[in-house]
Amino acid sequence: GIISSKLAGKLRFLDSTEEEQKRGITMHSSAISLHFKMNRQVEQSGDAVSSSTTSDQVEEDFLINLVDCPGHIDFSSDVSTATRLCDGALIVV
């Protein structure tokens, strides 16, 4: 992957200021988009005479928008705006 196993959990990509890095907290909202491609196998049944099945590879693309914002109530507008702009949301506290 992009991050080595030695640095996983230690780097804070979305905490951009030195103070955020030092204190380990989020002070300013930041966002990032992650593009994910997944190959999955789809089985298709044959006709009634042969009764065989074939499988095809289907590539699916996903765009994941990650918003990191402070947990303070003053930043609730950032969270509500982000959730209105997407198809679904997962809020992690």
Side-chain angles (χ1 to χ4, degrees):
I2 296 173
I3 304 172
S4 71
S5 59
K6 290 180 183 178
L7 296 176
K10 296 178 183 171
L11 293 177
R12 301 178 60 90
F13 286 107
L14 297 179
D15 292 339
S16 55
T17 66
E18 184 179 333
E19 189 66 22
E20 287 177 316
Q21 291 281 336
K22 185 173 79 174
R23 295 175 63 185
I25 61 171
T26 301
M27 300 169 91
H28 302 285
S29 295
S30 53
I32 189 170
S33 293
L34 306 170
H35 183 246
F36 177 70
K37 287 187 178 188
M38 181 176 76
N39 293 322
R40 70 179 175 98
Q41 206 163 353
V42 177
E43 291 187 13
Q44 297 177 347
S45 60
D47 57 16
V49 175
S50 67
S51 71
S52 64
T53 59
T54 60
S55 76
D56 294 328
Q57 289 283 336
V58 176
E59 185 176 272
E60 294 181 294
D61 292 323
F62 297 93
L63 180 64
I64 301 167
N65 295 309
L66 179 65
V67 179
D68 181 22
C69 63
H72 193 274
I73 193 66
D74 290 345
F75 293 92
S76 63
S77 64
D78 291 356
V79 175
S80 61
T81 301
T83 55
R84 274 191 235 112
L85 296 173
C86 63
D87 295 330
L90 173 66
I91 299 175
V92 179
V93 180

